[in-house]
Amino acid sequence: MTDITKLTIAESLDGLKNKQFSATDLTKAYLQAMEDNRSLNAYVLETPEMALKQATEAEKHYASGTNRALEGIPLGIKDLFCTKDVRTTACSHILDNFIPQYESTVTANLFNDGAVCLGKLNLDEFAMGSSTENSFFGPTINPWQRERKLVPGGSSGGSSAAVAANICAAATGTDTGGSIRQPAAFCGVTGIKPTYGRCSRYGVIAFASSLDQPGPIAKDVKDCAILLKSMAGYDVKDATSINKEVPDFVAVLGQSIKGLRIGVPAEYRPQGLNEEMAGYWDKGIEMLRQAGAEIVNISLPHTKYALPIYYIIAPAEVSSNLARYDGVRYGLRVDGNSLDEMYINTRSAGFGKEVKRRIMIGTYVLSAGYYDAYYRKAQKIRRLIRNDFLEAFKQCDVILTPTTPTVAFPIGDKSMLENPINMWLNDVFTVSVNLAGLPAMSLPIGLSADGLPLGLQLIGRAFDEETIFKTAAVLEKEAKFERLK
Ligand code: GLN
């Protein structure tokens, strides 16, 4: 039998239904692969006992014909999702040994559909970063060209590396400014950030609440469609989740895109854009044209403000959301001679450098005297960015852009201490979508001359993930990208 860890979810479900292998076989194969790949540092916690128990449960469902949508499919969970009775840390020292008493809605949805939990995956502390180097547990290594020790992207770098290395069938991710799409692009896998409100944020440790959105990272477009269907849906426990029916995303795959209007924004082709990236973007445009789509040149004039305002709005929300880590209720506590001293000691020891930087920026932009100059102004520009998209979507149905300006870079290459801007520039093509609340996918389009994956991004109208999926399926078919085997 071929190595079953290389199968997609769709293929694994077929194999399970046809009794080619059992749910326990599949889970064991992944557990072995995890052990063989510990040098990647993708998992920060492995949960083999839980996995085997769930696999046994799945076998019962198959035997009785009551198998659910993801019965027996082994998943990795980003360690930002609270998992009941399973350590959840956000890869921060401040959440040392935190064991949640409840399950996030998204992971509950997945497990209620029969998914198996292999463990918790590495990320940048509190999802702040683009390389997974900001993790308390150390960086994850990109499985492409391992000897070069490249970053997997971030913040969902454990997720993207694990999917690429076939040490989970698929993984959960979260995306505040690009954290699903950029790591997916760096690791040659597929990820979608759904429309804000499509998936519940309940039980997902908060970074910037007006931007955060959970979504899947998977081996291909179809697997993303299968997973998103399961993850999404209205949740009374998240006031920003939307009460809208979740479409069958798989059903649109393979549909014609004849006459579909593809927007190509001029602002995403800045001077000096990596030539290979630009070349693949042009190839992608051509593939869609050949498939009968109409290419429309569009403008998103406020794009240049997206990154600067993201780095005002996101830290502002960080300074508020992270105030709760005070050493009193959970996680780390470092004692002091007074309550204030205990707060200071705990937060000084518990947070990493990037998180502290964001708390300080956020506190500054929200403080009296600066609120109007920074925070309020940023919010106004955020509206202009959203308006740009609303205007653009009068002329087109979906937008095609590069996901990242470059391929994966070596660990340690972009020092956050010397110049955080170099790292932040990774997000130029991804943050606008979060500011506007729109859905967007990254899928691999090809390899650079030195053999590293590059991704293209498809951006859709709010709650129109279906057009993204339909278009992505065409690109995927044409690109014939080969995953790591
Ligand atoms: N890289 C971006 C940041 O550092 C986005 C992170 C994310 O989407 N969670 O904020």
Side-chain angles (χ1 to χ4, degrees), residues 84-277:
K84 190 172 187 292
D85 300 329
V86 176
R87 191 192 75 180
T88 301
T89 66
C91 290
S92 178
H93 187 31
I94 209 151
L95 274 170
D96 264 359
N97 294 322
F98 171 58
I99 313 253
Q101 294 166 15
Y102 58 92
E103 189 73 36
S104 86
T105 297
V106 161
T107 49
N109 289 345
L110 291 168
F111 299 142
N112 287 335
D113 272 344
V116 167
C117 178
L118 293 170
K120 305 296 292 282
L121 293 162
N122 206 0
L123 64 141
D124 285 297
E125 185 178 2
F126 286 104
M128 297 175 205
S130 310
S131 67
T132 317
E133 289 166 286
N134 297 337
S135 166
F136 180 65
F137 299 99
T140 294
I141 293 167
N142 191 321
W144 288 80
Q145 303 183 11
R146 293 175 187 226
E147 65 292 348
R148 289 180 66 190
K149 300 223 180 322
L150 305 171
V151 302
S155 66
S156 312
S159 304
S160 62
V163 174
N166 300 300
I167 52 176
C168 59
T172 62
T174 62
D175 192 312
T176 304
S179 275
I180 286 176
R181 293 160 285 155
Q182 185 257 15
F186 276 14
C187 290
V189 294
T190 304
I192 180 165
K193 179 204 98 74
T195 311
Y196 185 80
R198 178 66 94 183
C199 290
S200 169
R201 291 180 299 106
Y202 177 77
V204 180
I205 295 174
F207 165 5
S209 306
S210 76
L211 301 160
D212 298 344
Q213 182 61 204
I217 296 183
K219 294 179 187 178
D220 67 4
V221 174
K222 187 173 184 184
D223 282 6
C224 277
I226 295 171
L227 282 171
L228 183 56
K229 173 83 182 157
S230 170
M231 293 165 81
Y234 175 62
D235 179 14
V236 285
K237 297 192 207 111
D238 173 4
T240 61
S241 87
I242 304 283
N243 199 348
K244 245 185 193 314
E245 205 188 322
V246 182
D248 180 356
F249 302 114
V250 177
V252 304
L253 305 178
Q255 281 182 6
S256 163
I257 58 159
K258 230 187 183 80
L260 195 76
R261 296 167 306 165
I262 313 291
V264 177
E267 291 78 5
Y268 282 61
R269 203 183 286 269
Q271 281 230 321
L273 173 65
N274 177 314
E275 266 175 44
E276 286 187 309
M277 190 67 254

Side-chain angles (χ1 to χ4, degrees), residues 106-431:
V106 161
T107 49
N109 289 345
L110 291 168
F111 299 142
N112 287 335
D113 272 344
V116 167
C117 178
L118 293 170
K120 305 296 292 282
L121 293 162
N122 206 0
L123 64 141
D124 285 297
E125 185 178 2
F126 286 104
M128 297 175 205
S130 310
S131 67
T132 317
E133 289 166 286
N134 297 337
S135 166
F136 180 65
F137 299 99
T140 294
I141 293 167
N142 191 321
W144 288 80
Q145 303 183 11
R146 293 175 187 226
E147 65 292 348
R148 289 180 66 190
K149 300 223 180 322
L150 305 171
V151 302
S155 66
S156 312
S159 304
S160 62
V163 174
N166 300 300
I167 52 176
C168 59
T172 62
T174 62
D175 192 312
T176 304
S179 275
I180 286 176
R181 293 160 285 155
Q182 185 257 15
F186 276 14
C187 290
V189 294
T190 304
I192 180 165
K193 179 204 98 74
T195 311
Y196 185 80
R198 178 66 94 183
C199 290
S200 169
R201 291 180 299 106
Y202 177 77
V204 180
I205 295 174
F207 165 5
S209 306
S210 76
L211 301 160
D212 298 344
Q213 182 61 204
I217 296 183
K219 294 179 187 178
D220 67 4
V221 174
K222 187 173 184 184
D223 282 6
C224 277
I226 295 171
L227 282 171
L228 183 56
K229 173 83 182 157
S230 170
M231 293 165 81
Y234 175 62
D235 179 14
V236 285
K237 297 192 207 111
D238 173 4
T240 61
S241 87
I242 304 283
N243 199 348
K244 245 185 193 314
E245 205 188 322
V246 182
D248 180 356
F249 302 114
V250 177
V252 304
L253 305 178
Q255 281 182 6
S256 163
I257 58 159
K258 230 187 183 80
L260 195 76
R261 296 167 306 165
I262 313 291
V264 177
E267 291 78 5
Y268 282 61
R269 203 183 286 269
Q271 281 230 321
L273 173 65
N274 177 314
E275 266 175 44
E276 286 187 309
M277 190 67 254
Y280 273 117
W281 189 13
D282 290 336
K283 268 194 193 161
I285 293 169
E286 205 37 49
M287 287 171 189
L288 297 177
R289 197 200 309 272
Q290 290 297 328
E294 185 192 328
I295 308 301
V296 189
N297 291 318
I298 57 161
S299 172
L300 299 165
H302 296 92
T303 298
K304 66 170 185 271
Y305 301 114
L307 199 62
I309 70 152
Y310 171 83
Y311 279 101
I312 292 172
I313 293 169
E317 296 186 26
V318 165
S319 80
S320 159
N321 271 330
L322 272 60
R324 74 190 67 169
Y325 304 105
D326 54 9
V328 176
R329 283 157 293 187
Y330 38 70
L332 182 77
R333 172 183 298 188
V334 182
D335 282 325
N337 292 323
S338 65
L339 183 62
D340 277 348
E341 223 180 88
M342 188 279 284
Y343 288 156
I344 292 168
N345 293 348
T346 301
R347 289 170 66 86
S348 301
F351 290 132
K353 288 201 167 70
E354 181 62 13
V355 172
K356 282 178 185 159
R357 186 201 319 270
R358 306 238 183 154
I359 292 173
M360 285 190 282
I361 294 173
T363 308
Y364 180 82
V365 300
L366 289 176
S367 57
Y370 297 105
Y371 185 96
D372 285 333
Y374 292 103
Y375 185 70
R376 193 190 302 281
K377 187 156 245 159
Q379 291 290 23
K380 287 182 175 166
I381 298 170
R382 180 175 188 175
R383 173 50 60 119
L384 296 177
I385 287 171
R386 184 175 161 79
N387 289 349
D388 281 356
F389 281 105
L390 293 178
E391 276 306 309
F393 280 124
K394 289 179 186 160
Q395 296 165 263
C396 66
D397 304 301
V398 64
I399 296 172
L400 183 72
T401 77
T403 308
T404 59
T406 65
V407 292
F409 45 87
I411 290 173
D413 207 36
K414 296 186 197 288
S415 165
M416 293 298 282
L417 283 182
E418 281 162 31
N419 186 1
I421 310 275
N422 282 339
M423 185 69 82
W424 293 355
L425 277 172
N426 268 285
D427 310 326
V428 273
F429 298 143
T430 50
V431 291

